[in-house]
Amino acid sequence: MKLAKPSLDAGLFTNNIESMLAFYQNEVGLTFEELLPTGGGARQHRHGLNGSVLKINESRDPAPEGAPTGYQRLHIVTDKVTSPTDTADPDGNALRLLPATGPERWIEIDVALADIAAGRRHYGEALGFESLGSDAFRCGTTLIHLVDRPGQTATGELRAAGFRYLTVQVWDADAEYQHAVAHGATGAMPPRTSGAVARFGFVRDPGGNWLEISQRASLTGPLPADEAR
């Protein structure tokens, strides 16, 4: 992919917004950046995440409870710990906090899949992430670790409580979406333009896990209108 930002973002939905904000800001040390209305009574609390963004989504209509996605655990390098620490946020989402050993900061994501071979093709061929061997892939500074779990259930709908999607910022959402689908990704929503903010679509991996392909105007400049495509 031709990246407009060299890292993936992570998105979750919660019905427990105050506790979640307090945890990520105070216990993990993330910095609040922006509150973004996303329509239909929903809001997104955006937090800086080592060059990425953690998108904490809330809505006046509670998010339904759903089976966990394949996005099993988020690893975050932080100054808050001095040794690797496994923990969970107030909603039970698994985290591993890693001590900072230098100026570099990054995130890692564990992705559990029932069909690991199909997962390798998806992340390596359909998305074009850099293979690091041992079922590890890199997208910019973000690391993806595939976890072979034959009993992992397929992810359902996008909107449910918990870690639900990743976002990749690219220069041309339509071109990257088309390439991914042509090379085996499941198309979930073709790109569309949302005001002057972003043009975005979704694909899914072999386990049904959602990836947003986003062309954000603040990174790439003016966006094409839907009718222009």
Side-chain angles (χ1 to χ4, degrees):
M1 286 188 168
K2 188 176 180 182
L3 302 179
K5 186 177 78 170
S7 56
L8 294 174
D9 302 330
L12 62 82
F13 292 87
T14 184
N15 298 318
N16 190 19
I17 189 63
E18 295 302 328
S19 295
M20 291 285 276
L21 293 178
F23 174 83
Y24 280 102
Q25 292 172 13
N26 301 328
E27 301 300 321
V28 182
L30 303 189
T31 301
F32 172 77
E33 293 186 341
E34 181 184 14
L35 179 61
L36 182 66
T38 54
R43 303 191 302 175
Q44 185 177 98
H45 302 255
R46 297 170 64 87
H47 291 72
L49 182 63
N50 296 344
S52 302
V53 175
L54 179 65
K55 301 189 260 190
I56 303 176
N57 297 281
E58 63 159 333
S59 176
R60 64 169 174 249
D61 299 320
E65 297 298 324
T69 68
Y71 299 133
Q72 295 287 292
R73 180 164 57 184
L74 180 63
H75 305 235
I76 304 173
V77 176
T78 175
D79 294 322
K80 292 288 188 177
V81 299
T82 57
S83 61
T85 302
D86 289 335
T87 186
D89 68 22
D91 283 357
N93 300 304
L95 302 170
R96 175 168 290 170
L97 304 182
L98 303 172
T101 57
E104 295 83 9
R105 298 290 188 273
W106 67 91
I107 64 169
E108 306 175 22
I109 300 130
D110 294 339
V111 184
L113 294 167
D115 187 340
I116 196 75
R120 295 183 191 116
R121 292 191 296 272
H122 174 83
Y123 287 94
E125 298 175 18
L127 300 185
F129 292 172
E130 176 190 1
S131 175
L132 302 178
S134 302
D135 294 330
F137 294 84
R138 185 195 305 276
C139 178
T141 62
T142 304
L143 301 181
I144 298 284
H145 300 282
L146 303 187
V147 179
D148 189 5
R149 187 169 297 164
Q152 177 69 28
T153 57
T155 297
E157 293 300 314
L158 173 63
R159 185 179 174 275
F163 286 129
R164 300 306 292 185
Y165 65 102
L166 302 177
T167 300
V168 61
Q169 296 291 348
V170 300
W171 286 96
D172 188 330
D174 292 85
E176 301 295 359
Y177 177 90
Q178 291 161 12
H179 179 277
V181 171
H183 289 79
T186 299
M189 188 190 84
R192 63 181 179 86
T193 297
S194 177
V197 177
R199 183 169 179 82
F200 66 96
F202 284 90
V203 297
R204 303 175 78 175
D205 73 9
N209 300 301
W210 296 76
L211 175 75
E212 180 185 22
I213 299 176
S214 172
Q215 179 181 340
R216 193 169 178 83
S218 61
L219 297 171
T220 67
L223 304 168
D226 286 333
E227 58 267 22
R229 297 285 181 139

